[in-house]
Amino acid sequence: PSALRQLLLLALLSIAVSAAPDKCSVCNRLTEAFEQGLQRTAKDNFGGGNTHWEESRLGSWASSETRLVDIQERLCSDEGKEEAVACHALLEQFEEPLEGWWFGDFRRDPGKSAAKAAAALRELLCVRTGGLCCQHGAFGPQCAACPVCGLRGHCDGNGTRAGSGRCTCDSGYRGELCDQCETGRYLATAEPLLCLACHPACGSAGCVDGPSESNCRDCATGYQPAEASGAADGRVSCIDVDECAATPGPCAGPNETCVNSPGSFACDCLPGFQRPAAGGDCQPAETAAGTDGDSAETGGDSAETGDDSAESSGESAETGGESAETGGESAETGGESAETATPAMDKEEL
């Protein structure tokens, strides 16, 4: 039981660690937010209206405590819930070194670019003070030096306390140092390294040294080697296969014609014919259009039926009105009877 309990605790601990935000990433985002804050407040002032008087009494806005507080208040505002908690924790941990840097190195040179200031702040907080990250160009727990991956790749874990340090290549490049072209691309320039896509006529073996269909090593589906093509270096010229010229042709449906295209073909309807939207054989244009309109026509019938129902309802209402009118006439007749009875009552009174 004790061993099982220890395994359970280890599992829960690993889940908690994996769910916790990476502190190096949080620290990086904090310094990036600080850079954005520097840019946002660059043209602000104390807000009193007399900038010259304010700065003569309060000091320069650029390195003022008021500006620092303004920036700090929004450093963690754009983070998610867990990230915001981690961000505020780091901000509290870095309060003293951040203020020391602001009133020291930054105040001595407040005109430096926001990017340079943020890079210096990252070096201070994330690398030297917190020990959460490595310098750019280093990776892993010991901050070992990254390999030079060139312009077409990056070191896995660069600037963090994690990663393998291997080069992760950009799309289209390969090799330990990302200094080779992937299959399907050719070397356009060596300095700087640039690999471009082969011609679509080239197959899975790629091409030799150019974008033309004559530089292929093999041909893609829908293409074939030209007669007498081939060179000592293995390149071949690939030409389009006209599938429509085959006997029998690939388009055997009624009223169909074959249309060739580079590397492929399509089965289109003959002039005057149309394929219904639901698919199937080509039909005379009027018939196909009628088929597509059937559902709309059915919908119209339903609407017409609805109108009939409304009309019937109207007739019922009209009938009801006539009944009411008849009732009114009955009431009127009753009134006349009452009026006739009144003189008789007068005679009795006499």
Side-chain angles (χ1 to χ4, degrees):
S2 59
L4 181 60
R5 188 180 300 110
Q6 289 179 355
L7 289 175
L8 180 60
L9 289 174
L10 288 174
L12 292 174
L13 180 61
S14 64
I15 293 173
V17 170
S18 62
D22 175 62
K23 289 187 176 182
C24 179
S25 298
V26 174
C27 193
N28 283 333
R29 289 197 295 272
L30 188 149
T31 56
E32 289 168 2
F34 200 95
E35 178 183 350
Q36 295 169 3
L38 288 173
Q39 295 171 343
R40 176 177 55 82
T41 58
K43 296 182 179 180
D44 290 351
N45 51 53
F46 291 102
N50 190 336
T51 303
H52 178 72
W53 180 86
E54 290 166 346
E55 295 205 350
S56 66
R57 298 291 300 272
L58 303 175
S60 172
W61 161 260
S63 58
S64 66
E65 183 177 2
T66 305
R67 186 186 183 192
L68 174 61
V69 171
D70 187 318
I71 295 172
Q72 284 179 307
E73 287 178 345
R74 296 176 58 174
L75 287 179
C76 304
S77 60
D78 294 333
E79 300 287 352
K81 184 176 179 181
E82 292 184 357
E83 289 78 6
V85 172
C87 179
H88 283 292
L90 283 184
L91 193 56
E92 183 178 353
Q93 176 185 344
F94 293 150
E95 181 178 0
E96 290 187 10
L98 174 57
E99 291 181 354
W101 170 81
W102 179 265
F103 296 115
D105 291 348
F106 182 79
R107 175 165 285 183
R108 284 191 288 271
D109 187 14
K112 70 172 60 176
S113 70
K116 288 184 178 179
L121 185 61
R122 178 190 183 276
E123 175 73 14
L124 170 66
L125 300 182
C126 305
V127 179
R128 296 206 307 267
T129 302
L132 306 175
C133 305
C134 296
Q135 294 177 329
H136 288 298
F139 76 98
Q142 305 303 319
C143 291
C146 280
V148 179
C149 300
L151 298 175
R152 305 305 177 185
H154 64 274
C155 169
D156 179 42
N158 183 20
T160 74
R161 294 278 179 170
S164 64
R166 291 190 293 269
C167 290
T168 301
C169 301
D170 298 340
S171 177
Y173 299 86
R174 63 183 178 87
E176 290 187 5
L177 303 179
C178 304
D179 54 356
Q180 302 173 41
C181 297
E182 277 189 340
T183 302
R185 292 176 177 256
Y186 69 95
L187 180 64
T189 61
E191 293 292 339
L193 179 65
L194 179 62
C195 299
L196 298 179
C198 298
H199 192 278
C202 301
S204 59
C207 56
V208 180
D209 58 4
S212 170
E213 65 273 16
S214 63
N215 293 316
C216 300
R217 295 188 184 277
D218 66 345
C219 298
T221 302
Y223 295 87
Q224 63 185 9
E227 293 183 6
S229 71
D233 58 2
R235 78 179 71 196
V236 296
S237 294
C238 296
I239 59 175
D240 175 56
V241 175
D242 186 357
E243 292 88 353
C244 296
T247 303
C251 300
N255 307 313
E256 274 187 342
T257 182
C258 181
V259 178
N260 188 57
S261 61
S264 187
F265 68 95
C267 295
D268 290 351
C269 295
L270 292 169
F273 293 86
Q274 181 178 332
R275 201 179 303 277
D281 295 335
C282 296
Q283 301 177 8
E286 299 80 4
T287 304
T291 302
D292 295 338
D294 285 345
S295 55
E297 184 177 348
T298 304
D301 292 342
S302 301
E304 185 177 349
T305 304
D307 292 341
D308 292 342
S309 300
E311 185 177 349
S312 300
S313 300
E315 291 173 356
S316 300
E318 184 177 351
T319 305
E322 292 174 355
S323 301
E325 184 177 350
T326 305
E329 292 175 354
S330 301
E332 185 178 350
T333 304
E336 292 175 353
S337 301
E339 186 177 349
T340 306
T342 302
M345 294 174 63
D346 292 340
K347 289 179 181 181
E348 291 177 0
E349 291 176 358
L350 291 174

PDB file of all heavy atoms in Angstrom, residues 42-58:
ATOM      1  N   ALA A  42       5.679  55.893 -24.285  1.00  0.00           N
ATOM      2  CA  ALA A  42       6.825  56.696 -24.738  1.00  0.00           C
ATOM      3  C   ALA A  42       6.487  58.173 -24.905  1.00  0.00           C
ATOM      4  O   ALA A  42       7.304  59.046 -24.620  1.00  0.00           O
ATOM      5  CB  ALA A  42       7.360  56.136 -26.052  1.00  0.00           C
ATOM      6  N   LYS A  43       5.276  58.485 -25.363  1.00  0.00           N
ATOM      7  CA  LYS A  43       4.897  59.879 -25.629  1.00  0.00           C
ATOM      8  C   LYS A  43       3.955  60.442 -24.572  1.00  0.00           C
ATOM      9  O   LYS A  43       3.378  61.510 -24.761  1.00  0.00           O
ATOM     10  CB  LYS A  43       4.246  59.976 -27.006  1.00  0.00           C
ATOM     11  CG  LYS A  43       5.189  59.610 -28.142  1.00  0.00           C
ATOM     12  CD  LYS A  43       4.520  59.777 -29.506  1.00  0.00           C
ATOM     13  CE  LYS A  43       5.485  59.428 -30.627  1.00  0.00           C
ATOM     14  NZ  LYS A  43       4.846  59.590 -31.963  1.00  0.00           N
ATOM     15  N   ASP A  44       3.783  59.713 -23.461  1.00  0.00           N
ATOM     16  CA  ASP A  44       2.929  60.210 -22.381  1.00  0.00           C
ATOM     17  C   ASP A  44       3.660  61.263 -21.558  1.00  0.00           C
ATOM     18  O   ASP A  44       4.852  61.539 -21.770  1.00  0.00           O
ATOM     19  CB  ASP A  44       2.486  59.056 -21.478  1.00  0.00           C
ATOM     20  CG  ASP A  44       1.505  58.125 -22.176  1.00  0.00           C
ATOM     21  OD1 ASP A  44       1.057  58.470 -23.286  1.00  0.00           O
ATOM     22  OD2 ASP A  44       1.214  57.045 -21.621  1.00  0.00           O
ATOM     23  N   ASN A  45       2.946  61.840 -20.601  1.00  0.00           N
ATOM     24  CA  ASN A  45       3.555  62.786 -19.663  1.00  0.00           C
ATOM     25  C   ASN A  45       2.813  62.678 -18.340  1.00  0.00           C
ATOM     26  O   ASN A  45       1.983  61.784 -18.154  1.00  0.00           O
ATOM     27  CB  ASN A  45       3.521  64.212 -20.221  1.00  0.00           C
ATOM     28  CG  ASN A  45       2.131  64.616 -20.680  1.00  0.00           C
ATOM     29  OD1 ASN A  45       1.174  64.506 -19.920  1.00  0.00           O
ATOM     30  ND2 ASN A  45       2.014  65.050 -21.937  1.00  0.00           N
ATOM     31  N   PHE A  46       3.094  63.600 -17.433  1.00  0.00           N
ATOM     32  CA  PHE A  46       2.471  63.524 -16.116  1.00  0.00           C
ATOM     33  C   PHE A  46       0.986  63.878 -16.149  1.00  0.00           C
ATOM     34  O   PHE A  46       0.270  63.655 -15.183  1.00  0.00           O
ATOM     35  CB  PHE A  46       3.204  64.429 -15.121  1.00  0.00           C
ATOM     36  CG  PHE A  46       4.585  63.922 -14.785  1.00  0.00           C
ATOM     37  CD1 PHE A  46       5.704  64.490 -15.360  1.00  0.00           C
ATOM     38  CD2 PHE A  46       4.749  62.867 -13.900  1.00  0.00           C
ATOM     39  CE1 PHE A  46       6.972  64.030 -15.044  1.00  0.00           C
ATOM     40  CE2 PHE A  46       6.019  62.390 -13.591  1.00  0.00           C
ATOM     41  CZ  PHE A  46       7.129  62.965 -14.166  1.00  0.00           C
ATOM     42  N   GLY A  47       0.522  64.454 -17.235  1.00  0.00           N
ATOM     43  CA  GLY A  47      -0.911  64.722 -17.390  1.00  0.00           C
ATOM     44  C   GLY A  47      -1.385  66.017 -16.807  1.00  0.00           C
ATOM     45  O   GLY A  47      -2.593  66.282 -16.774  1.00  0.00           O
ATOM     46  N   GLY A  48      -0.482  66.908 -16.350  1.00  0.00           N
ATOM     47  CA  GLY A  48      -0.908  68.167 -15.751  1.00  0.00           C
ATOM     48  C   GLY A  48      -1.092  69.297 -16.739  1.00  0.00           C
ATOM     49  O   GLY A  48      -1.656  70.329 -16.402  1.00  0.00           O
ATOM     50  N   GLY A  49      -0.590  69.122 -17.953  1.00  0.00           N
ATOM     51  CA  GLY A  49      -0.769  70.159 -18.965  1.00  0.00           C
ATOM     52  C   GLY A  49       0.448  71.031 -19.159  1.00  0.00           C
ATOM     53  O   GLY A  49       0.635  71.608 -20.232  1.00  0.00           O
ATOM     54  N   ASN A  50       1.300  71.171 -18.148  1.00  0.00           N
ATOM     55  CA  ASN A  50       2.511  71.980 -18.262  1.00  0.00           C
ATOM     56  C   ASN A  50       3.713  71.054 -18.108  1.00  0.00           C
ATOM     57  O   ASN A  50       4.268  70.891 -17.015  1.00  0.00           O
ATOM     58  CB  ASN A  50       2.527  73.073 -17.191  1.00  0.00           C
ATOM     59  CG  ASN A  50       3.644  74.073 -17.425  1.00  0.00           C
ATOM     60  OD1 ASN A  50       4.644  73.765 -18.067  1.00  0.00           O
ATOM     61  ND2 ASN A  50       3.468  75.288 -16.907  1.00  0.00           N
ATOM     62  N   THR A  51       4.104  70.442 -19.216  1.00  0.00           N
ATOM     63  CA  THR A  51       5.151  69.422 -19.176  1.00  0.00           C
ATOM     64  C   THR A  51       6.473  69.982 -18.669  1.00  0.00           C
ATOM     65  O   THR A  51       7.185  69.334 -17.885  1.00  0.00           O
ATOM     66  CB  THR A  51       5.343  68.811 -20.571  1.00  0.00           C
ATOM     67  OG1 THR A  51       4.099  68.287 -21.024  1.00  0.00           O
ATOM     68  CG2 THR A  51       6.374  67.704 -20.539  1.00  0.00           C
ATOM     69  N   HIS A  52       6.833  71.186 -19.117  1.00  0.00           N
ATOM     70  CA  HIS A  52       8.124  71.769 -18.713  1.00  0.00           C
ATOM     71  C   HIS A  52       8.165  71.971 -17.199  1.00  0.00           C
ATOM     72  O   HIS A  52       9.146  71.616 -16.530  1.00  0.00           O
ATOM     73  CB  HIS A  52       8.344  73.103 -19.433  1.00  0.00           C
ATOM     74  CG  HIS A  52       9.621  73.781 -19.033  1.00  0.00           C
ATOM     75  ND1 HIS A  52      10.862  73.324 -19.431  1.00  0.00           N
ATOM     76  CD2 HIS A  52       9.848  74.880 -18.241  1.00  0.00           C
ATOM     77  CE1 HIS A  52      11.801  74.104 -18.922  1.00  0.00           C
ATOM     78  NE2 HIS A  52      11.214  75.064 -18.197  1.00  0.00           N
ATOM     79  N   TRP A  53       7.074  72.538 -16.624  1.00  0.00           N
ATOM     80  CA  TRP A  53       7.043  72.769 -15.175  1.00  0.00           C
ATOM     81  C   TRP A  53       7.059  71.450 -14.423  1.00  0.00           C
ATOM     82  O   TRP A  53       7.746  71.306 -13.416  1.00  0.00           O
ATOM     83  CB  TRP A  53       5.778  73.557 -14.819  1.00  0.00           C
ATOM     84  CG  TRP A  53       5.665  73.830 -13.338  1.00  0.00           C
ATOM     85  CD1 TRP A  53       6.198  74.860 -12.637  1.00  0.00           C
ATOM     86  CD2 TRP A  53       4.975  73.008 -12.383  1.00  0.00           C
ATOM     87  NE1 TRP A  53       5.890  74.767 -11.311  1.00  0.00           N
ATOM     88  CE2 TRP A  53       5.138  73.610 -11.111  1.00  0.00           C
ATOM     89  CE3 TRP A  53       4.241  71.830 -12.467  1.00  0.00           C
ATOM     90  CZ2 TRP A  53       4.586  73.088  -9.947  1.00  0.00           C
ATOM     91  CZ3 TRP A  53       3.704  71.305 -11.312  1.00  0.00           C
ATOM     92  CH2 TRP A  53       3.872  71.938 -10.069  1.00  0.00           C
ATOM     93  N   GLU A  54       6.263  70.479 -14.917  1.00  0.00           N
ATOM     94  CA  GLU A  54       6.196  69.188 -14.243  1.00  0.00           C
ATOM     95  C   GLU A  54       7.552  68.512 -14.195  1.00  0.00           C
ATOM     96  O   GLU A  54       7.964  67.978 -13.159  1.00  0.00           O
ATOM     97  CB  GLU A  54       5.182  68.284 -14.957  1.00  0.00           C
ATOM     98  CG  GLU A  54       3.739  68.720 -14.778  1.00  0.00           C
ATOM     99  CD  GLU A  54       2.816  68.016 -15.758  1.00  0.00           C
ATOM    100  OE1 GLU A  54       3.335  67.413 -16.716  1.00  0.00           O
ATOM    101  OE2 GLU A  54       1.587  68.092 -15.574  1.00  0.00           O
ATOM    102  N   GLU A  55       8.255  68.525 -15.303  1.00  0.00           N
ATOM    103  CA  GLU A  55       9.548  67.834 -15.345  1.00  0.00           C
ATOM    104  C   GLU A  55      10.611  68.594 -14.551  1.00  0.00           C
ATOM    105  O   GLU A  55      11.558  67.988 -14.045  1.00  0.00           O
ATOM    106  CB  GLU A  55       9.982  67.621 -16.792  1.00  0.00           C
ATOM    107  CG  GLU A  55       9.048  66.676 -17.557  1.00  0.00           C
ATOM    108  CD  GLU A  55       9.718  65.993 -18.724  1.00  0.00           C
ATOM    109  OE1 GLU A  55      10.852  66.383 -19.079  1.00  0.00           O
ATOM    110  OE2 GLU A  55       9.123  65.041 -19.288  1.00  0.00           O
ATOM    111  N   SER A  56      10.457  69.916 -14.430  1.00  0.00           N
ATOM    112  CA  SER A  56      11.408  70.667 -13.612  1.00  0.00           C
ATOM    113  C   SER A  56      11.200  70.375 -12.132  1.00  0.00           C
ATOM    114  O   SER A  56      12.135  70.466 -11.339  1.00  0.00           O
ATOM    115  CB  SER A  56      11.238  72.163 -13.877  1.00  0.00           C
ATOM    116  OG  SER A  56       9.970  72.620 -13.424  1.00  0.00           O
ATOM    117  N   ARG A  57       9.963  69.994 -11.749  1.00  0.00           N
ATOM    118  CA  ARG A  57       9.669  69.700 -10.347  1.00  0.00           C
ATOM    119  C   ARG A  57       9.685  68.206 -10.039  1.00  0.00           C
ATOM    120  O   ARG A  57      10.097  67.786  -8.963  1.00  0.00           O
ATOM    121  CB  ARG A  57       8.277  70.256  -9.990  1.00  0.00           C
ATOM    122  CG  ARG A  57       8.133  71.755 -10.126  1.00  0.00           C
ATOM    123  CD  ARG A  57       8.964  72.485  -9.069  1.00  0.00           C
ATOM    124  NE  ARG A  57       8.542  72.117  -7.734  1.00  0.00           N
ATOM    125  CZ  ARG A  57       7.561  72.751  -7.066  1.00  0.00           C
ATOM    126  NH1 ARG A  57       6.925  73.758  -7.644  1.00  0.00           N
ATOM    127  NH2 ARG A  57       7.242  72.380  -5.850  1.00  0.00           N
ATOM    128  N   LEU A  58       9.226  67.398 -11.005  1.00  0.00           N
ATOM    129  CA  LEU A  58       9.069  65.956 -10.761  1.00  0.00           C
ATOM    130  C   LEU A  58      10.141  65.101 -11.421  1.00  0.00           C
ATOM    131  O   LEU A  58      10.216  63.908 -11.163  1.00  0.00           O
ATOM    132  CB  LEU A  58       7.689  65.494 -11.253  1.00  0.00           C
ATOM    133  CG  LEU A  58       6.482  66.218 -10.645  1.00  0.00           C
ATOM    134  CD1 LEU A  58       5.196  65.750 -11.312  1.00  0.00           C
ATOM    135  CD2 LEU A  58       6.417  65.983  -9.140  1.00  0.00           C
TER     136      LEU A  58
END
